[in-house]
Amino acid sequence: MPELLLDVQGLETQFNTPDGIVYAVNGVSFSLKEGETLAVVGESGCGKSVTMLSVLRLIPSPPGKISAGKAIFRGEDLLRMSDDDIRGIRGAQIAMIFQDPMTSLNPVLTIGRQLEEPLALHMGMNKQQARERAAELLGMVGIPRAKDRLGDYPHQFSGGMRQRVMIAMALACNPQILIADEPTTALDVTIQAQIVELVKRLRDEIGMAIIWITHDLGIVAGLAKRVFVMYGGYIIEESPVDELYINPQHPYTLGLLGSLPRLDDFEYHRLVSIEGQPPVLYKKPTSCPFAPRCKYVVERCLNENPMLEKVAPDHRVACWIDPKTGRNRS
């Protein structure tokens, strides 16, 4: 059995704003095993990125604050570590690919220097060793003439090539966990497919665990083994990825899947749209956060926020109503 790598329990993160406190993450709990690929799905603003940035203590403070929770990595709580200790974890053992390849690289430093820095910092390499490893990493992610490109600046690379550089930087120290925050969002469809295939190949070669953050359920089908869906700062459904596609149990998940065009659908079906707007979380929800947009809503949904409950082996959902039957679950 693969060992448990990361165990997040009751994570809560909030931001102080001029309009009040925003409760961005509200008691999120999940785990990650060695070699596992976990997908985190949900629309913009649901708390996906903030959850993972909180785990790595990358939330700017102020205005952000991790107000509760634990993140146990190899027996130690990342949220209680000293600043020096957590810096030793970031990049070396848990690496992150950020969302926008166009702005994630420093425009005034060469690609080589940006790749060599973590190698010197975390691996103790000298300049020559770091240079050789940087060229090897660029070749690993499919950049031609890798050694010659080390002296180039980010503006000399295309968007897809910059994302490959970001992946190379994340993999520089052979991390145990790679967090990919919507790494294909700014890229065209063909480059998206290349990046996904690249990450899958590197995962199989290196054996790292992956957390893939996305708003697109179509991407995770061939990538992840397990997926959880977030809404309003909560996990509202967690399932093996195949089970989620076959038997979605939350109305929000049904809406996400219904908005995807299907190649195997030979009849005309209008794509589903989810009416309304995501919640603005100036108050921690005491009712179901999806209730104002849900067509299955009942009075209980407006008064109580459901907890994640098991509906099948390894499948949990936070909803009072079974959307397939319209009946109360309890």
Side-chain angles (χ1 to χ4, degrees), residues 205-252:
E205 289 177 1
I206 298 170
M208 62 190 171
I210 295 175
I211 300 174
W212 187 282
I213 304 169
T214 183
H215 61 270
D216 185 355
L217 271 167
I219 287 179
V220 305
L223 178 68
K225 294 295 183 186
R226 191 161 57 94
V227 58
F228 65 78
V229 182
M230 289 193 68
Y231 187 84
Y234 293 91
I235 295 175
I236 50 109
E237 187 161 6
E238 180 183 4
S239 167
V241 67
D242 293 339
E243 169 77 8
L244 192 83
Y245 281 86
I246 295 168
N247 188 29
Q249 289 289 313
H250 197 282
Y252 179 63

Side-chain angles (χ1 to χ4, degrees), residues 309-322:
E309 300 288 350
K310 184 178 287 190
V311 293
D314 302 320
H315 192 166
R316 300 188 300 159
V317 66
C319 185
W320 298 120
I321 303 297
D322 183 344

Side-chain angles (χ1 to χ4, degrees), residues 8-30:
V8 176
Q9 305 165 12
L11 180 66
E12 297 186 11
T13 303
Q14 58 195 44
F15 294 88
N16 285 302
T17 73
D19 295 322
I21 296 175
V22 175
Y23 295 90
V25 177
N26 300 302
V28 166
S29 300
F30 68 92

Side-chain angles (χ1 to χ4, degrees), residues 35-323:
E36 182 182 24
T37 302
L38 171 67
V40 186
V41 177
E43 62 194 42
S44 297
C46 71
K48 308 183 301 295
S49 298
V50 173
T51 296
M52 299 309 160
L53 290 170
S54 299
V55 168
L56 282 176
R57 301 245 306 273
L58 290 172
I59 296 294
S61 178
K65 178 185 177 184
I66 302 169
S67 55
K70 297 179 180 180
I72 309 299
F73 174 70
R74 295 295 193 194
E76 295 188 75
D77 188 355
L78 300 175
L79 305 186
R80 303 288 182 274
M81 283 183 175
S82 68
D83 290 343
D84 286 342
D85 287 343
I86 193 66
R87 275 195 289 268
I89 296 290
R90 294 188 201 120
Q93 298 181 60
I94 305 177
M96 189 163 185
I97 306 169
F98 295 97
Q99 187 166 353
D100 186 1
M102 303 300 181
T103 59
S104 296
L105 294 166
N106 191 323
V108 299
L109 298 180
T110 65
I111 294 298
R113 181 169 173 186
Q114 294 184 64
L115 275 169
E116 291 161 21
E117 183 178 2
L119 294 168
L121 180 66
H122 293 298
M123 308 288 280
M125 293 185 179
N126 61 36
K127 188 171 181 62
Q128 181 61 33
Q129 291 170 329
R131 193 78 174 172
E132 291 174 0
R133 176 60 175 161
E136 181 186 338
L137 286 163
L138 286 187
M140 185 189 302
V141 297
I143 293 181
R145 298 185 299 106
K147 197 167 186 178
D148 297 334
R149 301 303 303 270
L150 290 174
D152 289 346
Y153 289 86
H155 73 269
Q156 295 173 273
F157 289 73
S158 68
M161 288 295 186
R162 286 188 222 186
Q163 195 59 284
R164 289 172 185 266
V165 171
M166 290 299 299
I167 293 171
M169 289 177 66
L171 299 179
C173 302
N174 297 319
Q176 297 170 60
I177 300 174
L178 175 67
I179 301 173
D181 186 2
E182 303 204 40
T184 60
T185 296
L187 308 176
D188 63 55
V189 176
T190 54
I191 303 300
Q192 282 186 22
Q194 291 174 17
I195 295 297
V196 171
E197 287 303 314
L198 171 64
V199 171
K200 287 167 66 176
R201 176 174 62 81
L202 293 173
R203 173 197 64 191
D204 295 339
E205 289 177 1
I206 298 170
M208 62 190 171
I210 295 175
I211 300 174
W212 187 282
I213 304 169
T214 183
H215 61 270
D216 185 355
L217 271 167
I219 287 179
V220 305
L223 178 68
K225 294 295 183 186
R226 191 161 57 94
V227 58
F228 65 78
V229 182
M230 289 193 68
Y231 187 84
Y234 293 91
I235 295 175
I236 50 109
E237 187 161 6
E238 180 183 4
S239 167
V241 67
D242 293 339
E243 169 77 8
L244 192 83
Y245 281 86
I246 295 168
N247 188 29
Q249 289 289 313
H250 197 282
Y252 179 63
T253 310
L254 283 167
L256 289 180
L257 289 169
S259 67
L260 291 174
R262 296 176 61 102
L263 294 176
D264 60 350
D265 188 356
F266 299 109
E267 298 180 15
Y268 173 81
H269 289 102
R270 183 180 292 275
L271 295 179
V272 172
S273 64
I274 302 174
E275 301 295 333
Q277 298 292 326
V280 180
L281 299 172
Y282 289 124
K283 292 183 179 178
K284 190 179 292 187
T286 55
S287 60
C288 175
F290 189 62
R293 306 174 70 184
C294 182
K295 63 182 180 181
Y296 303 98
V297 65
V298 295
E299 187 174 352
R300 191 179 187 186
C301 305
L302 302 173
N303 297 319
E304 296 180 60
N305 193 357
M307 302 292 289
L308 280 170
E309 300 288 350
K310 184 178 287 190
V311 293
D314 302 320
H315 192 166
R316 300 188 300 159
V317 66
C319 185
W320 298 120
I321 303 297
D322 183 344

